Amino acid sequence: LGGGGFAPGSSSTTGLESISLEQETNESELSIRSVLGRTYVNVDLSTVEGIEKASDWELASSGMADVVFSPHLNQIAEKLLDGQHKGRMFVLMIHPCVREFKRFRHRRKMELLHHGKGLITNENSEEGNGDILSMSYTAYSKSHLVEDNWMMRTILDKPRESYPELTSEDMHAAKELLRIKAIIGLYDDILGAIRHYS
């Protein structure tokens, strides 16, 4: 379950891969592009709008790609998959605390870069990140910046705004969905995960 700005995949017949080509904004149908010696389908599944476009262009039935990458699991399942075009998730799991501390370090790095360029101040920083430079790990872990059960909420399509609290039933539902639909690898053992996927 991850983020990502592209939608990689391979065709069962030609070995093509699909990736976001954001510069191709005026196209009206699926097409293949070559970038740095590799071939891609011109869809961007990192956004809901891109998934809508891929659905309109019938990506799943096109035969151009049979692997896609997107952080929007439920939208992919709803818009691209059906009884004839089923999906199976390949999931690379990372411990939630490790993920959050990686996000913390990334946010601090971006804040430092923005401050250095005079783009953001403590008063007007996006998402209230201005004080993140002075935060400890402990302070960050108790702040509003930490995502609450990101994986469960993503799997179950239960955003915090609509579902402030998750239950043990939600946890069991998410685990069962992963058991049935996902092939799981561990971030701490990426080579082992790749072997498991193959």
Side-chain angles (χ1 to χ4, degrees), residues 12-13 19 22 24 34 44 50 63 65 73 77 97 104 107 122 126 129 148 161 171 173 175 184 187-188 191 193:
S12 57
T13 56
I19 190 170
E22 295 180 6
E24 305 291 351
S34 179
D44 180 2
L73 302 180
C97 291
F104 172 63
R107 283 173 178 242
N122 283 357
E126 185 179 353
N129 292 351
D148 173 43
E161 303 76 39
M171 181 189 67
K175 288 170 66 176
I184 299 172
Y187 180 84
D188 290 338
L191 291 179

Side-chain angles (χ1 to χ4, degrees), residues 103-197:
R103 288 181 68 242
F104 172 63
R105 290 190 295 272
H106 175 73
R107 283 173 178 242
R108 285 190 11 172
K109 179 180 177 182
M110 297 310 296
E111 189 75 10
L112 282 168
L113 288 173
H114 288 165
H115 273 289
K117 294 178 182 177
L119 298 176
I120 293 182
T121 66
N122 283 357
E123 291 75 27
N124 66 8
S125 63
E126 185 179 353
E127 297 182 0
N129 292 351
D131 57 349
I132 200 168
L133 294 176
S134 61
M135 277 188 181
S136 66
Y137 281 132
T138 302
Y140 175 78
S141 69
K142 296 177 181 177
S143 76
H144 69 283
L145 299 173
V146 173
E147 290 194 33
D148 173 43
N149 287 299
W150 174 83
M151 182 172 288
M152 279 178 56
R153 291 184 181 282
T154 300
I155 292 170
L156 300 174
D157 196 20
K158 287 193 169 186
R160 192 175 194 169
E161 303 76 39
S162 304
Y163 302 89
E165 299 293 332
L166 295 176
T167 66
S168 59
E169 287 78 11
D170 290 324
M171 181 189 67
H172 292 302
K175 288 170 66 176
E176 181 65 7
L177 193 149
L178 286 174
R179 186 185 70 80
I180 295 171
K181 291 288 187 181
I183 300 174
I184 299 172
L186 299 179
Y187 180 84
D188 290 338
D189 183 16
I190 292 178
L191 291 179
I194 292 170
R195 286 193 296 271
H196 180 54
Y197 295 155

